[in-house]
Amino acid sequence: MALNARLDHRNPLVFDTHELGRRPGALQRLSRTVDAPKDFGIKGVVGVPQGAPVELELRLESVLEGVLVTGTARARAEGECVRCLEPLELELEADFQEMFSYPDADDRGRVIAEPGDDAEDDEDRLFLEDGLFDLEPVLRDAVVLALPMQPVCQEDCPGLCAECGARLADDPDHHHDAVDIRWAALQGLADTMSDGEKDEMSGGAPQSARADEKQEK
C-alpha cells in the first residue's frame, strides 16, 4: 500500500481536506501560488526553473472513496530549442485529476479502501494521511505530460548549418559551395600547375634547368 510518508502541513504543496469533513458531495475550491520544486519538468530539455511561481487552481470534492482533486497549474517554462540550441520560454498549462483514497473506514464504519485486495492497484494509489495529501507527485506527472519532448523556438526553425554550425534563421541565404571529393585531387594538381605557370611568367626557371646551366659553365 503506497501510504504517504509523514506529511508537513507547512509544505505549500501539502493540502488539508479536514474542511470537507468526509461528507460525500462536499466541495472546496482553492487558489494558491507556490514555488516550483527542483527538477520540475523534463531534465536537460525543458522545465520550470526552481523557485519560479506556479499558479494552482484546485477543486477538492469529497466522495465515498476519498477526495477527488481536479486542478490546473500555470507557469513559465524555460529550455533550449532542439534545432538551433537557442534558449526559449513558453507558457505552461497543465491539467490534472487524482483520487486520494481514505486508508481506513469512514465514520459510519464502512470500509472505503481495502489495502491488499489488489496489490498492483495499491501500488498506484495515493492515500490521505490524517486528512492531508501531497500534490507534488501528481503535479510533476502533469507538467511532464504538458511539456513538449522536443521544444523549438518556432515551428519553422531551420536549425543550424551542418557544415559550420551557423544559425540559419539569422542568415536565410547561408550556404556552402558543394565540392565533389572525386575532383579534389585534380583540383590540387591544377593549383600546382598554376603556381608553376606563374613562376615562368615572372621570369623564373625551374630549379633543374638552373642546375644544368651551372654544370655547362
Side-chain angles (χ1 to χ4, degrees):
M1 178 174 60
L3 286 173
N4 297 322
R6 294 296 301 177
L7 299 181
D8 185 352
H9 68 277
R10 295 169 297 181
N11 184 334
L13 286 173
V14 171
F15 292 82
D16 192 337
T17 67
H18 284 100
E19 187 174 320
L20 297 175
R22 294 183 73 163
R23 300 184 306 272
L27 187 67
Q28 183 180 10
R29 296 184 183 276
L30 298 172
S31 295
R32 184 180 295 184
T33 299
V34 301
D35 293 340
K38 185 179 180 181
D39 298 328
F40 199 51
I42 305 173
K43 191 172 183 179
V45 180
V46 62
V48 181
Q50 183 176 4
V54 180
E55 297 178 3
L56 299 175
E57 296 288 339
L58 302 179
R59 180 177 182 269
L60 279 56
E61 182 180 3
S62 180
V63 296
L64 288 175
E65 294 84 359
V67 175
L68 180 65
V69 179
T70 305
T72 300
R74 297 181 180 88
R76 180 179 293 273
E78 298 178 1
E80 185 178 84
C81 177
V82 296
R83 297 179 187 169
C84 68
L85 306 183
E86 287 292 304
L88 58 81
E89 293 185 351
L90 56 88
E91 295 297 328
L92 167 70
E93 182 170 311
D95 296 323
F96 52 88
Q97 186 174 71
E98 187 65 49
M99 171 68 74
F100 289 87
S101 301
Y102 297 128
D104 52 11
D106 66 8
D107 56 1
R108 292 165 298 177
R110 177 164 44 186
V111 175
I112 302 302
E114 280 288 352
D117 284 355
D118 190 329
E120 186 174 346
D121 288 346
D122 285 342
E123 291 286 333
D124 299 327
R125 291 170 63 185
L126 297 175
F127 290 85
L128 293 166
E129 181 187 307
D130 296 330
L132 303 177
F133 69 85
D134 184 2
L135 189 64
E136 183 173 338
V138 175
L139 196 55
R140 282 187 179 277
D141 291 344
V143 166
V144 169
L145 290 175
L147 288 171
M149 295 295 294
Q150 294 187 318
V152 291
C153 57
Q154 54 188 27
E155 290 298 326
D156 58 348
C157 174
L160 302 176
C161 173
E163 295 285 336
C164 65
R167 188 169 183 260
L168 298 179
D170 297 334
D171 184 9
D173 298 325
H174 180 87
H175 71 282
H176 295 271
D177 293 330
V179 178
D180 192 327
I181 59 174
R182 293 173 297 179
W183 295 99
L186 292 178
Q187 182 63 45
L189 179 59
D191 292 341
T192 302
M193 294 178 65
S194 297
D195 292 342
E197 292 175 356
K198 290 178 182 178
D199 290 341
E200 292 178 0
M201 292 178 65
S202 61
Q207 293 183 357
S208 58
R210 289 198 295 268
D212 292 341
E213 290 177 2
K214 289 181 181 180
Q215 288 178 358
E216 291 177 357
K217 291 179 181 181

